[in-house]
């Protein structure tokens, strides 16, 4: 076991778990006092019966200065039930122990630019964290398949929501990508940060490039070790014409969209 992994090994207690949309859950985990994280980083959870930990973006982490504040030292995750690992996590109860490593990886840039955040589905989690981290300054837009997929805990926190079938009501009908050009025109961001399915990352990155706006993409790859050892999560980057391999878990998960070989 590497020193890095040992340093990042953590245990926490579930303080809250709730179904917030169709097969989507919000879980809150109280961590050790020395835990720290930044938007875009993730934790990898050990699930009963599996040796490969399951990675999840941090949706929020409240530290602040006041140890009596609600949610002090609590990590929030938003996750979708897919297979055995997420079924195990969704069945956890308040007070149960969670064994995880993290916070892992490199997150979004943190500066005072005018940022447009784009989330799709459960990918809204890390960009929501960035919004909170920057005191709600960025504009957050997000797309979901339909009204049942919109997490109740975030509904009022997202500035613009689109649903593929329009069932979200009021706002957009269609993919969030359909609204991106208009958002860029109206909001005039200095930077775009996006998380969601591969195609949403690719298209957002292409549109941002066409407008000459830097775009940071939070990538997902199935992970084994989560610490940069197994090379199971490698993607290819093109840095000024030179092709390089990068591990999503260690070098990412956030990359410059224009450097990713899609
Ligand atoms: C950096 C990172 C951050 C992530 N953040 C979140 C998050 O905030 N919320 C969330 O719900 N999910 C997130 N994921 C995806 C999540 O890790 C997988 O959904 C989870 O590992 C599935 O585990 P399982 O045992 O339930 O499913 P499995 O039985 O392992 O797989 C069930 C299905 O899920 C698919 N799947 C497995 N791993 C991934 C993956 N890494 N990405 C996409 N599909 C996968 C499989 O192909 C299969 O179709 C993230 C993944 C990465 C790499
Ligand atoms: S998951 Fe092992 S190197 Fe990334």
């Amino acid at each position: 076991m590497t020193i890095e992994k040992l340093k990042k090994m953590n245990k926490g207690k579930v303080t809250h778990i709730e179904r917030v949309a169709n097969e989507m859950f919000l879980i809150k985990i109280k961590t050790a006092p020395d835990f720290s994280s930044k938007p875009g980083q993730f934790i990898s959870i050990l699930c009963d019966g599996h040796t490969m930990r399951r990675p999840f973006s941090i949706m929020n982490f409240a530290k602040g200065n006041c140890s009596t504040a609600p949610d002090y030292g609590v990590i929030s995750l938003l996750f979708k039930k897919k297979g055995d690992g997420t079924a195990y996590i969704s069945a956890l109860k308040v007070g149960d122990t969670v064994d995880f490593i993290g916070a892992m990886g490199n997150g979004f840039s943190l500066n005072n630019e005018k940022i447009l955040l784009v989330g799709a589905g459960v990918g809204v989690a890390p960009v929501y964290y960035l919004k909170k981290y920057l005191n709600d300054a960025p504009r957050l837009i997000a797309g979901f398949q339909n009204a049942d997929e919109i997490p109740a805990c975030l509904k009022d926190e997202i500035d613009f929501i689109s649903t593929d079938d329009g069932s979200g009501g009021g706002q957009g009908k269609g993919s969030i990508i359909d609204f991106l050009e208009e958002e860029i025109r109206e909001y005039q961001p200095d930077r775009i940060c996006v998380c969601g399915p591969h195609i949403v990352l690719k298209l957002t990155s292409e549109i941002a490039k066409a407008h000459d706006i830097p775009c940071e993409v939070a990538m997902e790859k199935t992970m084994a070790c989560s610490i940069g050892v197994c090379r199971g999560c490698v993607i290819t980057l093109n840095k000024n014409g030179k092709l390089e391999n990068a591990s999503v878990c260690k070098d990412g998960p956030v990359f410059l969209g224009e450097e990713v070989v899609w």
Side-chain angles (χ1 to χ4, degrees):
M1 188 171 302
T2 64
I3 301 285
E4 185 184 354
K5 184 170 176 184
L6 272 175
K7 277 198 289 194
K8 297 272 185 181
M9 291 197 83
N10 265 305
K11 280 200 167 57
K13 288 259 183 237
V14 178
T15 59
H16 180 97
I17 182 153
E18 179 191 2
R19 190 174 162 279
V20 290
N22 186 25
E23 300 294 354
M24 208 189 281
F25 294 79
L26 167 70
I27 186 168
K28 296 186 177 186
I29 303 163
K30 176 91 178 172
T31 61
D34 60 350
F35 181 87
S36 65
S37 74
K38 290 194 174 138
Q41 287 191 299
F42 66 95
I43 64 169
S44 250
I45 297 181
L46 187 64
C47 302
D48 220 16
H50 295 270
T51 46
M52 274 168 54
R53 290 167 183 268
R54 297 324 199 230
F56 299 93
S57 302
I58 297 168
M59 188 187 94
N60 210 354
F61 175 64
K63 195 128 187 180
N65 297 319
C66 176
S67 60
T68 55
D71 282 356
Y72 174 85
V74 170
I75 302 171
S76 300
L77 307 176
L78 182 73
F79 69 95
K80 185 112 182 163
K81 198 159 112 184
K82 286 205 161 166
D84 286 355
T86 43
Y88 163 80
I89 300 168
S90 70
L92 289 172
K93 303 271 179 283
V94 170
D96 283 349
T97 299
V98 180
D99 182 321
F100 66 92
I101 53 173
M104 306 303 289
N106 291 306
F108 297 107
S109 311
L110 300 168
N111 52 32
N112 289 327
E113 289 171 330
K114 199 171 173 194
I115 305 170
L116 178 65
L117 305 172
V118 183
V122 81
V124 71
V127 286
Y128 170 77
Y129 184 14
L130 184 53
K131 181 175 171 77
K132 288 288 136 188
Y133 197 92
L134 298 175
N135 300 315
D136 280 312
R139 177 166 170 80
L140 171 58
I141 63 171
F144 301 91
Q145 283 174 353
N146 54 56
D148 295 340
E149 298 288 330
I150 304 172
C153 55
L154 296 187
K155 215 171 198 157
D156 297 333
E157 306 254 12
I158 301 170
D159 299 303
F160 173 83
I161 294 178
S162 73
T163 43
D164 294 353
D165 62 0
S167 59
Q171 301 191 324
K173 178 178 177 184
S175 156
I176 195 64
I177 295 295
D178 299 340
F179 299 91
L180 201 50
E181 294 275 2
E182 191 182 329
E183 285 284 340
I184 289 172
R185 250 192 331 272
E186 283 180 10
Y187 188 62
Q188 302 269 315
D190 299 318
R191 184 158 54 99
I192 297 177
C193 298
V194 58
C195 185
H198 191 85
I199 185 69
V200 172
L201 304 187
K202 179 176 186 282
L203 293 174
T204 304
S205 174
E206 285 169 2
I207 293 170
K209 192 171 179 194
H211 287 265
D212 210 14
I213 300 170
C215 177
E216 293 183 338
V217 297
M219 302 288 291
E220 271 197 21
K221 274 282 220 175
T222 305
M223 291 182 179
C225 72
S226 302
I227 55 165
V229 174
C230 73
R231 306 295 282 164
C233 66
V234 166
I235 60 166
T236 307
L237 301 180
N238 182 339
K239 293 201 170 188
N240 300 318
K242 193 169 158 257
L243 295 185
E244 289 180 10
N245 285 337
S247 301
V248 170
C249 64
K250 194 162 180 234
D251 305 311
V254 176
F255 296 94
L256 262 183
E258 65 194 63
E259 291 185 348
V260 174
V261 177
W262 298 100

